[in-house]
Amino acid sequence: MTGIVIDSKSDSDMLLSIVDRSDIEAPEAEYETDYVDGRHGSVNRFKYYKDVEQEIEFNILEEFNIKPQIRKIKTWLLNAKSFYFTDDDVYRKIKRVKISGIKNDIAEYGDFTVTFSCDPFEYARNDSMIKVASGGEVENIGTFESTPLLKLYGSGKGTLTVGSTKVAVDLQKEYMLMDSEIQEAYYTTTNLGSLMTGEFPKLPPGKTKITFDGGITGVEIQRRCRYL
């Protein structure tokens, strides 16, 4: 039986079982549409992909009054950040959670449905930091461009090139984290945005060459591969 893991806790850890789960449709694209005089048909500019929803029906059946456990389950679900199914190698990021009314006609049994509003993408689960040699390549195995996390080591000024994107940095700490998802450069809790110049790199599907020079002596990258 397929299970679900939410923020490192499984349904079985919470004494739950999955009764049913909905299919997730492909994310819907949002476009800005306009008509131009003298041109037939509309002109469409892609804006973004919309969130998707995953609906899951759970139940719980034990030999004791489950009300205290239900309270723990609600807290677990309402604070959820991500989930994955045990029969897949991708996970989803959760934006919002809605829990239906919990059917609890008898003390030992409960049944309810949870709707997760999710980021439009699926993300690769096994995606740890990897070292990259200057002149080496990294491969985005996903189907959409990713927003990687890079960790730069060294001292002083240098240039990082990821594909066609060049970034100048001045390394003054043990390392610099360059996060393309949140568009920030930092060391622990210290913002280092003033010590970099250029756009945050992205990785298109396929292989991308990475080079670095000057004071940059080492680079690690978490690709954050994702799928539509």
Side-chain angles (χ1 to χ4, degrees):
M1 176 67 71
T2 299
I4 187 172
V5 177
I6 302 173
D7 294 346
S8 77
K9 277 191 175 180
S10 70
D11 49 350
S12 59
D13 290 336
M14 302 302 288
L15 308 181
L16 290 171
S17 296
I18 293 177
V19 178
D20 194 17
R21 75 188 201 197
S22 67
D23 295 331
I24 293 187
E25 297 181 359
E28 180 184 352
E30 180 73 12
Y31 292 91
E32 186 176 89
T33 302
D34 199 4
Y35 287 87
V36 179
D37 290 345
R39 178 171 179 171
H40 299 292
S42 62
V43 177
N44 295 281
R45 182 179 67 84
F46 172 77
K47 295 174 67 178
Y48 52 79
Y49 283 106
K50 297 180 180 180
D51 291 343
V52 297
E53 289 191 346
Q54 175 77 68
E55 192 173 274
I56 305 172
E57 183 182 353
F58 292 101
N59 69 13
I60 177 172
L61 176 61
E62 296 296 332
E63 296 180 352
F64 52 82
N65 190 323
I66 63 167
K67 286 181 173 60
Q69 183 64 21
I70 287 292
R71 288 190 282 272
K72 293 179 182 179
I73 289 168
K74 286 192 292 184
T75 300
W76 170 61
L77 291 171
L78 292 172
N79 289 285
K81 303 300 181 188
S82 67
F83 74 84
Y84 67 86
F85 293 109
T86 55
D87 63 350
D88 209 346
D89 57 0
V90 295
Y91 73 93
R92 285 195 176 272
K93 296 180 180 180
I94 299 169
K95 299 286 192 69
R96 299 178 303 281
V97 180
K98 181 180 178 181
I99 304 174
S100 72
I102 299 173
K103 299 175 184 177
N104 186 213
D105 298 331
I106 60 174
E108 298 82 10
Y109 177 78
D111 182 275
F112 59 95
T113 298
V114 180
T115 302
F116 295 107
S117 295
C118 304
D119 183 296
F121 304 105
E122 295 176 314
Y123 292 83
R125 281 170 51 194
N126 299 318
D127 199 10
S128 57
M129 281 279 192
I130 55 176
K131 290 183 179 180
V132 185
S134 184
E137 292 181 326
V138 295
E139 184 176 8
N140 175 4
I141 60 174
T143 59
F144 195 77
E145 68 177 13
S146 72
T147 50
L149 174 66
L150 294 110
K151 192 173 186 177
L152 281 56
Y153 298 92
S155 178
K157 296 181 179 180
T159 301
L160 169 72
T161 305
V162 180
S164 60
T165 301
K166 290 189 176 184
V167 186
V169 299
D170 186 0
L171 300 177
Q172 299 180 11
K173 301 287 185 181
E174 179 186 357
Y175 59 82
M176 173 189 285
L177 285 170
M178 190 181 296
D179 193 329
S180 296
E181 184 173 62
I182 62 174
Q183 301 276 291
E184 288 187 6
Y186 55 93
Y187 169 75
T188 61
T189 59
T190 303
N191 189 294
L192 302 180
S194 62
L195 300 179
M196 67 164 281
T197 304
E199 299 293 324
F200 285 88
K202 294 183 179 180
L203 296 178
K207 295 181 179 180
T208 298
K209 186 176 180 179
I210 295 180
T211 61
F212 50 89
D213 58 26
I216 306 173
T217 58
V219 172
E220 295 179 352
I221 185 170
Q222 184 181 27
R223 298 166 296 168
R224 292 174 171 165
C225 303
R226 56 188 181 178
Y227 308 80
L228 282 173

